[in-house]
Amino acid sequence: MQGTARNFFTLAIIYSLCGMALGLYMAISQDHSQMPTHAHTMVAGWLMSAVFAFFYHLFPAIGQKKLATVHFWLTAISGIGLLVGLYVLLAGNPAIEPLVAVSSMAFYAGMLLFAFIALPALWKA
């Protein structure tokens, strides 16, 4: 695995470790108030980043393009902002909500960019 694929899979592993650590913390403390953060970390972080990694691994030429790099950084930065912001928000700090909103929209933009990158490659004759 190289380039964008390696970057996304590295990010996926980091997300999985963070999400599992949060899950363990909730189980040990019996405080499940961060369940939405845990779920977002595992699905939006671990699962989506792993899927992106395998796509770019299967289509290495696409992973070498500038647009793939933009996709990685948009997804990485907005995802971290979303998850950290969500954690802080659910901890009782509503002032962080604008960060969560902007990060959510940017994360969605990353998914739209992925659709723009991936769908033509998948439907190419």
Side-chain angles (χ1 to χ4, degrees):
M1 207 173 265
Q2 299 176 13
T4 303
R6 181 184 57 218
N7 293 344
F8 266 119
F9 204 66
T10 301
L11 187 62
I13 291 168
I14 293 167
Y15 277 132
S16 70
L17 291 171
C18 292
M20 292 175 82
L22 180 57
L24 286 170
Y25 169 78
M26 289 187 307
I28 292 167
S29 69
Q30 295 295 305
D31 176 5
H32 294 89
S33 61
Q34 290 290 341
M35 185 63 75
T37 307
H38 168 72
H40 278 77
T41 303
M42 298 308 293
V43 175
W46 156 245
L47 183 61
M48 287 180 67
S49 293
V51 168
F52 296 153
F54 285 110
F55 171 82
Y56 289 119
H57 182 69
L58 291 172
F59 296 90
I62 295 172
Q64 293 174 356
K65 294 183 177 182
K66 181 72 172 171
L67 212 50
T69 302
V70 170
H71 174 227
F72 172 76
W73 285 110
L74 177 60
T75 301
I77 293 167
S78 64
I80 292 167
L82 170 61
L83 297 174
V84 170
L86 188 57
Y87 184 91
V88 173
L89 179 68
L90 293 175
N93 300 291
I96 199 78
E97 195 165 355
L99 173 68
V100 176
V102 169
S103 296
S104 296
M105 290 184 280
F107 197 79
Y108 183 72
M111 188 64 213
L112 286 174
L113 179 58
F114 180 66
F116 179 79
I117 292 167
L119 290 175
L122 295 174
W123 289 94
K124 193 173 190 179

